[in-house]
Amino acid sequence: MKISTASFFGALVALGALMCISSCSRTDRFAGEWIGTPIRMMNIPGAADASSTVSLDFAPSTDVRRGGDVFMSATIDVTQAVVGSSFSVDDPYQVDVAATASIRGRYVADGDDDDDILLHLDQSTLQVNIDPAGVTFSENILTGLQRPALDSLTQQTVDAWRVRITAAIRDEFYKYQKIEDIKVHHSDMMSCEVADRDYTFRRVAPN
């Protein structure tokens, strides 16, 4: 049976398009931003309680084996119960600190498919921000304090907690150097394994 040149090349184009659609749909299945659930952080010295919520933002890639850009961010909430003369205040009180952190890097498939991916994070891009307005004191801390004294106390608290949180969130981010067994459910839920622990993320709808 003779096949015309036009038909032959037409078939090649169709096959290539089909392969591209299959590849792109598989590659892009987790492209976009995903937000996890709050998890407790046990490695922040001085914290009575601490939690972080990690988000992953994967840029689309035409070939996951070559990889693409990834942006990780987190919101961190820390509570410290203070007793005695810390920060020159005698009455016991509680400090609540809200922080954000982010880091950039690249992701690439660990093998021939994208069920497992590797993250290469650029440590020089790690940023931790604490808005002084997000630092709150409860109970007796406000009693008798003038505004300059409170501002000074807030800045001391910000500086101290930035150091502690930076070390802790760096460790948290680096747990994601390998993400395994990625599964996307109904396009808006993603399950995976990170450092031998199961995680679930939900897709963030674009604005």
Side-chain angles (χ1 to χ4, degrees):
M1 180 179 68
K2 283 189 175 183
I3 300 177
S4 69
T5 302
S7 298
F8 175 73
F9 282 105
L12 286 181
V13 170
L15 179 60
L18 180 62
M19 292 177 64
C20 178
I21 291 172
S22 175
S23 173
C24 291
S25 63
R26 183 157 180 80
T27 299
D28 289 346
R29 67 194 177 101
F30 59 82
E33 185 179 1
W34 303 83
I35 186 169
T37 56
I39 60 170
R40 293 195 67 186
M41 301 180 70
M42 309 298 293
N43 57 341
I44 301 184
D49 191 23
S51 65
S52 65
T53 303
V54 170
S55 295
L56 297 163
D57 193 347
F58 297 102
S61 173
T62 55
D63 186 350
V64 74
R65 291 169 296 181
R66 295 183 179 180
D69 293 330
V70 62
F71 178 75
M72 291 187 68
S73 59
T75 57
I76 305 107
D77 294 298
V78 179
T79 299
Q80 177 193 31
V82 180
V83 179
S85 59
S86 296
F87 301 115
S88 301
V89 177
D90 292 329
D91 292 330
Y93 63 97
Q94 178 176 297
V95 181
D96 294 299
V97 179
T100 59
S102 64
I103 194 168
R104 296 182 180 275
R106 298 275 298 174
Y107 71 91
V108 64
D110 183 24
D112 293 330
D113 58 39
D114 59 358
D115 289 339
D116 300 337
I117 60 174
L118 304 175
L119 266 57
H120 303 287
L121 300 174
D122 183 354
Q123 185 172 335
S124 68
T125 65
L126 177 63
Q127 294 185 349
V128 175
N129 297 302
I130 302 176
D131 183 354
V135 177
T136 60
F137 303 94
S138 60
E139 297 186 14
N140 297 328
I141 192 63
L142 300 179
T143 303
L145 284 185
Q146 299 298 316
R147 185 73 237 177
L150 179 59
D151 289 342
S152 175
L153 182 57
T154 298
Q155 191 57 53
Q156 291 179 53
T157 303
V158 167
D159 293 341
W161 281 108
R162 183 181 288 110
V163 173
R164 300 175 191 176
I165 291 173
T166 297
I169 200 62
R170 179 186 292 113
D171 292 343
E172 189 66 29
F173 281 157
Y174 272 78
K175 290 179 183 178
Y176 288 79
Q177 290 185 93
K178 185 172 185 178
I179 305 177
E180 301 179 275
D181 197 24
I182 298 172
K183 292 181 173 61
V184 176
H185 311 274
H186 307 294
S187 77
D188 59 356
M189 295 293 293
M190 179 175 70
S191 62
C192 60
E193 184 177 310
V194 177
D196 298 321
R197 178 175 175 176
D198 293 330
Y199 285 80
T200 301
F201 292 79
R202 60 178 175 81
R203 188 183 293 277
V204 178
N207 293 328

